[in-house]
Amino acid sequence: MKVVHTIEDLRDQLRGQLRVAFVPTMGNLHEGHLALMKLARQHGDPVVASIFVNRLQFGPNEDFDRYPRTLQNDIDKLEQARDVYVLFAPDEKELYPEPQSYRVQPPQELGDILEGEYRPGFFGGVSTVVLKLFSCVQPRVAVFGKKDYQQLMVVRNMCRQFQLPVEILAHETVRDRDGLALSSRNMYLQPAERVEAAQLYVALSMIQSQLQAGAQDADRLERQAIDFLNSRGWKVDYIAIRRRRDLNKPTREEIAQGEPLVALAAAKLGATRLIDNLEL
Ligand code: PAF
C-alpha cells in the first residue's frame, strides 16, 4: 500500500485510473471501516482510502481535539487487510491551505433535522470535505456505512444535485456480538458503559418488532423507546421513525401500507454520544 500525504502525490499514483473506488474515513479504523474497503474492492480498482479528521464537521464543544488519531496503527491494519492500494492522509494545511470560505450547504429539510438539529453545521462540514476529497481522488464509486444513515443520504443527494460522476454504495452497519454498532467513539466508553451501550440497539429492535407485529403509532413507539433508555440513565437526543426515502415523518396510512421506514437514534451515555439506526 502506498501512503501519500499530498494531493500531488495522490494524483501521481492515480494517473490514468478510471475505476477508482474510494472510502473516506477519519481514521481509528475498525472492522466496520475494513468492511467498507472490502466492498469498495468488489466495485472498483484501485481502492483508495483517506484518513482526515475534518475540523469543519465538529462543533465548538465537540471532540475534535480528542478524536483518536492512530495513523500508524491504521496503516498496519490496512496493510494486513490488503484491500487498499493508496492511502491518502493529508494534514490540515494540505486540504485547507486557506480558510474554507466556499461551503456546501445541504438543504434544511435534510441537513437541519435529526443529527443536523443537534450538531448545527455538521452536514455542511461533511459535504464540503467529501466534495473536496472527491475532487482530489476523482473516484468512480465511493462507499459509506449505513451507521451514519443521514450522512449517507446527504452525500447521495449532493452527488445527484451536483451531477458528480460518483456512484455511492452503502454498506450495512457492522455490529459487535451484543449488537452495538462499531464506532471509533465506542472507545470513549467506560467498561460498565460499554455493557450498557448495547441497549441502544435493543431500543431500536423493540421498535422494529412492534412494527412487525402491526403497531402503527410511531409517536408512541418512539416515546416508549426514549423512556426505556432514559430510565436506564441515558440522555436521549432523539429516537425517530422516518421514511427511508427522505427522512420525513410517515403518516399512519403510510405505515399501514408498508412504506419503507428507518428508526434513527442518538443518545448520550455518560460523556459519550452514540448514534445508531435500524431499517424497519
Ligand atoms: O463518516 C466519516 O468518517 C466522516 O464523516 C467522513 C465521511 C470521512 C467525512 O469527514
Side-chain angles (χ1 to χ4, degrees):
M1 184 178 72
K2 311 262 189 324
V3 182
V4 298
H5 300 284
T6 66
I7 297 170
E8 196 182 343
D9 287 348
L10 176 72
R11 295 223 164 108
D12 279 347
Q13 289 298 330
L14 297 180
R15 210 172 298 287
Q17 299 286 3
L18 297 175
R19 293 178 49 234
V20 172
F22 177 45
V23 184
T25 80
M26 298 205 299
N28 196 241
L29 303 180
H30 50 64
E31 289 300 319
H33 295 112
L34 299 180
L36 303 183
M37 299 180 193
K38 281 244 163 332
L39 182 64
R41 198 160 165 206
Q42 291 163 19
H43 290 269
D45 181 41
V47 174
V48 176
S50 66
I51 293 181
F52 180 69
V53 183
N54 172 38
R55 187 187 289 277
L56 287 193
Q57 71 191 72
F58 287 80
N61 299 317
E62 293 184 358
D63 54 347
F64 175 75
D65 288 327
R66 65 181 188 124
Y67 197 87
R69 289 157 174 88
T70 53
L71 185 60
Q72 192 50 54
N73 211 349
D74 293 341
I75 291 173
D76 294 346
K77 286 183 184 166
L78 293 175
E79 294 275 17
Q80 234 183 348
R82 299 171 69 99
D83 289 315
V84 171
Y85 174 67
V86 178
L87 172 65
F88 178 44
D91 65 13
E92 279 206 284
K93 279 208 209 71
E94 184 65 15
L95 220 50
Y96 296 126
E98 54 184 277
Q100 185 67 33
S101 45
Y102 286 79
R103 304 276 180 107
V104 179
Q105 173 88 61
Q108 279 180 354
E109 65 273 17
L110 184 60
D112 292 355
I113 61 169
L114 302 168
E115 274 306 274
E117 188 182 331
Y118 286 87
R119 303 184 68 187
F122 173 68
F123 290 115
V126 168
S127 305
T128 301
V129 81
V130 168
L131 184 64
K132 285 174 72 96
L133 289 166
F134 282 2
S135 134
C136 297
V137 175
Q138 305 203 356
R140 175 69 70 81
V141 301
V143 184
F144 290 80
K146 283 195 187 177
K147 157 91 177 3
D148 298 293
Y149 204 88
Q150 195 175 355
Q151 165 174 286
L152 170 66
M153 293 196 55
V154 166
V155 169
R156 275 209 165 119
N157 287 356
M158 174 179 79
C159 288
R160 199 188 59 237
Q161 283 215 347
F162 284 117
Q163 295 169 294
L164 304 181
V166 188
E167 184 189 350
I168 303 299
L169 300 177
H171 194 286
E172 294 302 322
T173 301
V174 179
R175 298 182 180 281
D176 235 326
R177 255 179 294 213
D178 62 357
L180 177 65
L182 298 192
S183 163
S184 302
R185 291 192 168 98
N186 294 350
M187 60 166 288
Y188 298 146
L189 296 167
Q190 304 295 324
E193 291 171 343
R194 170 61 194 83
V195 175
E196 176 61 24
Q199 298 301 316
L200 185 57
Y201 181 61
V202 171
L204 292 171
S205 304
M206 279 167 22
I207 292 178
Q208 186 183 50
S209 51
Q210 294 192 64
L211 277 172
Q212 280 168 357
Q216 289 174 8
D217 185 344
D219 289 343
R220 191 178 58 83
L221 296 180
E222 289 171 358
R223 193 73 257 154
Q224 272 178 0
I226 292 168
D227 290 347
F228 167 74
L229 288 176
N230 283 342
S231 71
R232 301 179 64 94
W234 293 69
K235 288 205 173 63
V236 175
D237 282 347
Y238 60 84
I239 295 186
I241 298 171
R242 296 297 169 97
R243 306 197 300 212
R244 280 186 218 173
R245 59 187 150 110
D246 56 8
L247 299 187
N248 279 351
K249 291 185 181 178
T251 62
R252 228 174 206 280
E253 293 69 44
E254 285 172 330
I255 296 177
Q257 284 159 11
E259 169 77 31
L261 301 173
V262 57
L264 304 109
K268 279 202 214 81
L269 191 53
T272 307
R273 186 172 182 279
L274 300 176
I275 64 168
D276 198 358
N277 64 78
L278 192 59
E279 290 180 331
L280 304 168

